[in-house]
């Protein structure tokens, strides 16, 4: 089932070590399955330096607390150095005897969605600025219109056509 996923699926044991990863990891991270299994700290390997401590702390707490999370986002770097956004979700795994086996983590490339959200936020800010300018512009336009109407009215009284 996990091999047919669109996400990179990982099994992290209770000690925080990668036990298994599906082949989708290559498309998402650029690292092969065997490379991931040889790296001592995968998936932390892909976290950008700025995100590394935050992601490490979050994953460590998740493993220790046997927690569940949906759509935890962080900035990551592929093997080729290109940056992308990851959405990680995880849940604890237990065997039939209810012994804790670690976490199943799903990593999804969330770049397109994140970029669309950022573009939408930027558009909202720009729209608010335009609306703000629009109110100001309309107020000035009304003043100019009133002044113009006053001049036209005065000129009409004096017989002058504008």
């Amino acid at each position: 089932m996990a091999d047919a996923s669109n996400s990179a699926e990982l099994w992290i044991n209770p000690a925080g070590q990668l036990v298994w990863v599906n082949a989708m990891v290559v498309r998402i991270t650029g690292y092969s399955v065997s490379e991931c299994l040889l790296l001592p700290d995968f998936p932390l390997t892909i976290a950008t330096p700025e995100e590394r401590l935050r992601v490490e702390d979050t994953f460590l707490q998740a493993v220790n607390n046997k927690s569940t999370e949906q759509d935890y986002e962080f900035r990551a770097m592929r093997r080729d150095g290109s940056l992308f956004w990851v959405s990680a979700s995880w849940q604890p795994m237990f065997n039939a005897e209810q012994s804790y086996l670690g976490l199943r983590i799903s990593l999804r490339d969330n770049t397109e969605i994140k970029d669309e959200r950022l573009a939408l936020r930027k558009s909202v800010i720009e729209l608010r600025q335009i609306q703000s300018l629009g109110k100001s512009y309309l107020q000035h336009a009304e003043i100019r219109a009133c002044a113009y109407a006053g001049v036209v009215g005065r000129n009409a009284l004096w017989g002058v056509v504008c």
Side-chain angles (χ1 to χ4, degrees):
M1 179 83 131
D3 281 325
S5 174
N6 286 328
S7 301
E9 302 291 337
L10 296 76
W11 172 12
I12 305 293
N13 69 19
Q17 301 299 311
L18 180 66
V19 175
W20 177 88
V21 62
N22 70 351
M24 189 56 69
V25 76
V26 177
R27 185 184 65 78
I28 293 174
T29 70
Y31 289 95
S32 70
V33 170
S34 57
E35 286 174 315
C36 292
L37 292 170
L38 291 174
L39 291 167
D41 60 353
F42 193 86
L44 297 176
T45 307
I46 65 170
T48 61
E50 301 81 18
E51 294 271 42
R52 172 83 185 221
L53 290 176
R54 180 177 72 90
V55 174
E56 183 175 18
D57 184 53
T58 301
F59 282 175
L60 182 62
Q61 286 182 33
V63 169
N64 291 336
N65 297 333
K66 303 171 187 148
S67 67
T68 299
E69 181 70 43
Q70 293 292 321
D71 299 321
Y72 175 81
E73 293 181 332
F74 64 94
R75 197 77 165 133
M77 187 181 306
R78 290 186 180 87
R79 188 168 191 260
D80 67 6
S82 62
L83 296 175
F84 67 110
W85 285 98
V86 169
S87 179
S89 298
W90 57 84
Q91 59 276 336
M93 296 189 308
F94 300 90
N95 66 13
E97 291 79 35
Q98 294 303 305
S99 295
Y100 180 52
L101 301 176
L103 294 179
R104 176 181 174 174
I105 300 177
S106 299
L107 301 177
R108 188 177 71 246
D109 182 343
N110 204 37
T111 305
E112 190 173 309
I113 292 169
K114 188 74 171 180
D115 288 348
E116 288 172 1
R117 277 192 215 139
L118 292 172
L120 181 59
R121 275 192 211 122
K122 183 179 177 185
S123 295
V124 167
I125 291 168
E126 289 173 356
L127 179 59
R128 286 184 180 144
Q129 289 172 340
I130 290 169
Q131 287 173 329
S132 174
L133 290 173
K135 288 178 185 173
S136 175
Y137 176 78
L138 286 175
Q139 289 169 346
H140 290 295
E142 287 173 2
I143 292 168
R144 286 192 304 271
C146 289
Y148 178 74
V151 169
V152 170
R154 184 194 67 211
N155 289 347
L157 287 173
W158 292 345
V160 178
V161 177
C162 293

